[in-house]
């Protein structure tokens, strides 16, 4: 969900429209703060087991609550995208994944603004999957028997990873 700033988070002054680099953006009249419409960054990972099955979860939380998805989530500021993908997978499924390569970089415009999804392919190397609050249902699925993924970026990631050619925008 996008938060539209109305007051400056640095000094509390009400924001006013200012032309910055030929765009009209909410900006603070009293300090340098400008509410840039930066994209959020999310990560996801196509995790395969030794049999080539793909780890798929039903999301227990927004965004996309109730939809099937790849393990993934928003990137934290202090981690690399690959670290974020491993962390999200472990948190959501208890599966330890080794990242093998890039599946796709996908840009999506959502109601909440721009979203950049960095998706990897990886191999399960440890842990034992079990349901969590973030993934109350999950399992290993053969590619031809997987539930429909509820995010276009995840569908693209799966297709790109299986084709062997990363899709980079
Ligand atoms: Zn300010």
């Amino acid at each position: 969900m996008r938060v539209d700033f109305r007051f400056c988070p640095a000094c509390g002054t009400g924001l006013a429209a200012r032309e910055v680099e030929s765009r009209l953006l909410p900006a603070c009249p009293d300090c340098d703060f400008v509410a840039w419409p930066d994209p959020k960054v999310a990560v996801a990972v196509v995790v395969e087991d030794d049999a080539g099955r793909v780890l798929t979860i039903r999301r227990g939380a927004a965004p996309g609550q109730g939809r099937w998805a790849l393990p993934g989530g928003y990137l934290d500021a202090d981690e690399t995208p690959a670290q974020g993908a491993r962390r999200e997978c472990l948190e959501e499924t208890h599966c330890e994944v080794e990242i093998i390569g890039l599946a796709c970089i996908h840009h999506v415009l959502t109601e909440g603004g721009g979203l950049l999804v960095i998706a990897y392919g990886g191999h399960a190397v440890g842990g034992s999957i079990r349901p969590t609050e973030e993934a109350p249902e999950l399992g290993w699925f053969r590619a031809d028997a997987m539930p429909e993924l509820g995010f276009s970026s995840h569908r693209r990631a799966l297709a790109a990873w299986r084709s062997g050619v990363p899709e980079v925008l």
Side-chain angles (χ1 to χ4, degrees):
M1 183 180 65
R2 182 175 63 193
V3 174
D4 287 318
F5 287 114
R6 290 191 297 140
F7 295 94
C8 175
C11 76
T13 303
L15 299 181
R18 185 196 305 166
E19 191 174 320
V20 186
E21 295 175 7
S22 31
R23 284 193 294 182
L24 217 48
L25 297 173
C28 179
D30 286 349
C31 75
D32 291 335
F33 178 78
V34 176
W36 289 97
D38 299 326
K40 283 187 76 78
V41 180
V43 291
V45 57
V46 179
V47 185
E48 292 175 315
D49 68 1
D50 289 335
R53 297 176 306 171
V54 176
L55 181 54
T56 312
I57 70 167
R58 193 194 280 276
R59 289 186 56 83
Q65 186 171 12
R67 294 190 217 166
W68 289 94
L70 302 172
Y74 292 118
L75 189 64
D76 286 337
D78 63 350
E79 61 188 358
T80 68
Q83 286 170 341
R86 285 199 299 270
R87 173 185 56 75
E88 285 286 355
C89 186
L90 189 63
E91 285 175 2
E92 291 177 341
T93 72
H94 297 283
C95 175
E96 290 166 26
V97 58
E98 179 189 6
I99 302 296
I100 295 172
L102 183 67
C104 78
I105 297 177
H106 194 220
H107 178 255
V108 195
L109 266 180
T110 71
E111 284 176 14
L115 177 68
L116 197 64
V117 182
I118 301 172
Y120 297 98
H123 196 84
V125 291
S128 162
I129 65 165
R130 62 179 187 274
T132 62
E133 209 167 295
E134 297 102 314
E137 252 184 277
L138 75 175
W140 294 103
F141 293 88
R142 283 177 24 178
D144 58 5
M146 279 177 65
E148 171 86 355
L149 298 175
F151 295 103
S152 62
S153 56
H154 290 190
R155 294 193 293 272
R156 301 274 285 264
L158 180 66
W161 184 246
R162 299 193 71 80
S163 78
V165 182
E167 182 187 8
V168 178
L169 303 183

